[in-house]
Amino acid sequence: FLSGKRALVTGSTSGIGLAVARALAAEGADMVLNGFGEEADIARLCDELRAQHVAADLTTREGCDALMDAAGPIDILVNNAGMQHVAPVESFPVEKWDAIVALNLTAAFHTVRRSVPHMNAQRWGRIVNVASAHSKTASPFKSAYVAAKHGLDGFTKTIALELARSGVTANCVSPGYAWTPLVENQIPDTMKARGLSREDVINDVLLAKQPTKKFVQPVEIGALAVFLCREEAGNVTGANWSIDGGWTAE
Ligand code: NAD
């Protein structure tokens, strides 16, 4: 049902973004991929999804503009690129704070700013921002990430109101822990920050948050994003959809 629609998923060479891109492509969308990785892997993905790839660094305004220049008019925008760093606030590396806020929050402002004129003109558009359970609740040692994701939730609500009469919806999807490189990579720092073993971090920190005791599957997040792109979701806007095994219900 998405044939003829052009969809951009930022950070779609890995993890959740890749699963969302696959789900949209399966519905017939023309895909623009973004993110880093091995050239050969990316070429294979472009073949698989009949997609264009733009390797822009979205921590900078120039990178965001380069992506949007290369992508052309976009009907479905999924802001997914994100990064995490785990450290106590007093020793949180300042450059990590800047990069996390730039990628997880400010990049979405730039891609939205550049996508909205086309969406408004055709009176149809879908904006899906991949936030996090950490857009609704906090955990220690993740100050930059929690601040950026709460900011993304507020930004999404604001644009939903601005676009409410234009046929353009804007929503967040907020996963709990999904097993991707982003989660894998924070295990060593969490072991250090909390003085725990790897097993303890997985069971007592990550899965402790999720009453289902299961990691969220990226493919489940893809299915939710697809739903938000349907015509039947035209009145779903300004919402922040949890997909977190019950984490934020507690
Ligand atoms: P991931 O590390 O597997 O993938 C991140 C993607 O972003 C990759 O394609 C990477 O190349 C790209 N990327 C990284 N830095 C970039 C930059 N500067 N410019 C452009 N692209 C860049 O991560 P993931 O777990 O799939 O996370 C995707 C999104 O989901 C993030 O916004 C993350 O905060 C959010 N999220 C993840 C989880 C989880 O448990 N994995 C939970 C909640 C929210």
Side-chain angles (χ1 to χ4, degrees):
F1 74 95
L2 294 178
S3 64
K5 301 272 197 267
R6 194 161 168 78
L8 165 62
V9 182
T10 69
S12 44
T13 53
S14 164
I16 293 168
L18 177 54
V20 171
R22 284 197 166 115
L24 296 175
E27 298 296 341
D30 294 329
M31 298 305 308
V32 183
L33 305 179
N34 157 258
F36 305 127
E38 296 294 327
E39 218 171 291
D41 295 340
I42 292 176
R44 215 173 307 118
L45 279 179
C46 287
D47 265 3
E48 178 197 326
L49 303 179
R50 299 170 315 280
Q52 177 190 352
H53 171 256
V54 187
D57 175 357
L58 305 186
T59 58
T60 67
R61 176 186 173 168
E62 293 70 28
C64 294
D65 277 333
L67 171 62
M68 301 315 289
D69 287 344
I74 291 299
D75 308 307
I76 297 168
L77 170 65
V78 181
N79 286 300
N80 164 82
M83 60 194 283
Q84 172 67 282
H85 187 76
V86 179
V89 69
E90 66 274 24
S91 54
F92 206 93
V94 172
E95 62 288 350
K96 288 278 187 202
W97 173 282
D98 289 343
I100 287 171
V101 173
L103 184 61
N104 296 48
L105 176 58
T106 308
F109 161 65
H110 289 304
T111 57
V112 164
R113 172 176 73 73
R114 293 286 308 267
S115 301
V116 157
H118 165 73
M119 292 179 179
N120 266 337
Q122 67 175 7
R123 305 198 66 74
W124 195 92
R126 293 289 185 265
I127 298 168
V128 178
N129 292 331
V130 180
S132 167
H134 282 123
S135 75
K136 302 183 172 196
T137 187
S139 299
F141 314 121
K142 296 185 176 179
S143 53
Y145 186 85
V146 171
K149 294 298 191 184
H150 275 66
L152 187 60
D153 177 46
F155 174 65
T156 306
K157 289 177 187 160
T158 307
I159 59 174
L161 296 178
E162 292 182 27
L163 300 170
R165 293 184 177 202
S166 308
V168 181
T169 68
N171 294 283
C172 284
V173 299
S174 283
Y177 287 109
W179 194 260
T180 69
L182 181 140
V183 166
E184 175 91 55
N185 294 337
Q186 64 188 279
I187 290 177
D189 284 343
T190 307
M191 288 165 64
K192 204 163 81 189
R194 296 185 183 237
L196 294 175
S197 70
R198 182 183 164 84
E199 276 351 24
D200 290 345
V201 168
I202 292 173
N203 292 312
D204 301 348
V205 179
L206 305 181
L207 290 181
K209 296 284 190 187
Q210 299 190 175
T212 55
K213 300 294 170 209
K214 286 185 191 147
F215 285 101
V216 178
Q217 300 302 314
V219 69
E220 297 166 347
I221 302 165
L224 182 51
V226 165
F227 167 70
L228 292 171
C229 294
R230 298 192 72 91
E231 292 311 314
E232 296 91 327
N235 264 310
V236 178
T237 196
N240 185 342
W241 288 63
S242 291
I243 175 162
D244 63 5
W247 174 348
T248 52
E250 284 200 309

